[in-house]
Amino acid sequence: MADKKHKFSMNVAGIYYVDDQCIACDACCVEAPRFFAMNDNDGHAFVKLQPVTPEDLKEAENAMAACPVEAIGNDG
Ligand code: SF4
């Protein structure tokens, strides 16, 4: 389970975030490329845009479900 105390500072402010459990598998960026991107220098994903609409939220939830290590949180 993702922990907001360990989220990356690159995440844009909002309820969704990636924490330091990320293994850079790229799944969230494939599932929801509008909201997740990879920091190739540091080897982890981050939230680049917070979802707003119901469609956005579904996409972000799909990315969460695709994460193999539960590194994506949605609790702010
Ligand atoms: S799906 Fe999870 S482990 Fe994979 S890049 Fe995204 S946050 Fe990291």
Side-chain angles (χ1 to χ4, degrees):
M1 187 177 172
D3 183 345
K4 63 184 171 189
K5 291 196 293 291
H6 297 288
K7 68 182 181 183
F8 292 113
S9 58
M10 285 190 78
N11 294 294
V12 297
I15 64 167
Y16 282 87
Y17 57 88
V18 175
D19 81 359
D20 61 6
Q21 297 175 91
C22 175
I23 58 170
C25 74
D26 212 34
C28 57
C29 303
V30 171
E31 282 292 331
R34 290 188 297 145
F35 307 110
F36 294 87
M38 195 63 66
N39 177 338
D40 290 321
N41 290 335
D42 293 339
H44 65 79
F46 63 98
V47 175
K48 66 177 182 178
L49 178 72
Q50 292 290 339
V52 176
T53 69
E55 292 78 16
D56 292 351
L57 291 164
K58 180 154 180 35
E59 206 171 314
E61 289 297 318
N62 287 343
M64 272 187 82
C67 181
V69 293
E70 298 186 3
I72 300 171
N74 67 352
D75 60 359

